Amino acid sequence: SVVLLCHWIACFWFYLGEQLLDETGCSVELRETGRFARLSDTRLTMSSCSWLVLHHLDSDSVPVKSLYLKALYWSVTTIMTVGYGDFHPVHTVEHYFYVLVILVGAVVYANFFSIIVSVIESANSNSNAYAVWMEDIREQMHYLRFPQALRSKILN
């Protein structure tokens, strides 16, 4: 279920980047310098673009598999940790989504650890129930004055 969640978040992260790329017209980014060109009628800044432009993934020559892999990598590192920072949000909308994904990651962690604690607790309660059951048997054999040899055979 966590893998499916990472997949859906990766798909939406890529979709969000593509939508912001189309809406803001960030394709005027200058690849040689890594800076954005200032048009006479529009001023583009990093905050008006997408993570795809920042990492030079906005061209048609980049394979879709590569884009999906990068988005999945971002999704997994953000949900399982707090992200490594190599792929990060640029646009304000991406920042909102990033915060939402971090909160989802916190819920995933809480769920994971609660499952582990319940498994350990269940194992511990089974062990305790067995110990109580064996103690009851010992007391019953003592009360009924079983011979020591028979007690050893029953308990072993």
Side-chain angles (χ1 to χ4, degrees), residues 30-145:
L30 297 175
R31 297 216 181 271
E32 298 82 30
T33 62
R35 296 187 186 131
F36 289 92
R38 292 183 184 253
L39 302 177
S40 59
D41 56 347
T42 308
R43 289 182 177 220
L44 293 176
T45 62
M46 285 296 284
S47 64
S48 66
C49 288
S50 165
W51 69 277
L52 293 169
V53 173
L54 179 67
H55 298 288
H56 307 290
L57 300 172
D58 57 326
S59 72
D60 292 335
S61 64
V62 180
V64 175
K65 287 181 182 178
S66 177
L67 294 171
Y68 172 74
L69 186 62
K70 287 175 179 29
L72 185 64
Y73 166 78
W74 175 86
S75 173
V76 169
T77 58
T78 303
I79 288 177
M80 298 300 166
T81 63
V82 291
Y84 293 124
D86 45 355
F87 292 103
H88 57 283
V90 175
H91 194 277
T92 305
V93 175
E94 291 174 340
H95 281 279
Y96 287 130
F97 183 65
Y98 184 68
V99 169
L100 178 70
V101 171
I102 288 175
L103 293 175
V104 167
V107 170
V108 167
Y109 261 124
N111 187 33
F112 176 73
F113 283 115
S114 70
I115 289 171
I116 288 177
V117 166
S118 67
V119 166
I120 291 171
E121 183 180 307
S122 173
N124 194 21
S125 68
N126 290 340
S127 176
N128 288 344
Y130 178 76
V132 168
W133 182 61
M134 290 303 290
E135 186 59 34
D136 287 345
I137 291 173
R138 282 189 195 92
E139 288 176 10
Q140 190 68 19
M141 287 190 297
H142 179 71
Y143 176 75
L144 295 174
R145 296 187 179 144

Side-chain angles (χ1 to χ4, degrees), residues 15-30:
Y15 172 76
L16 185 63
E18 282 285 318
Q19 290 302 312
L20 292 171
L21 187 68
D22 292 342
E23 288 176 12
T24 58
C26 284
S27 59
V28 298
E29 191 258 340
L30 297 175

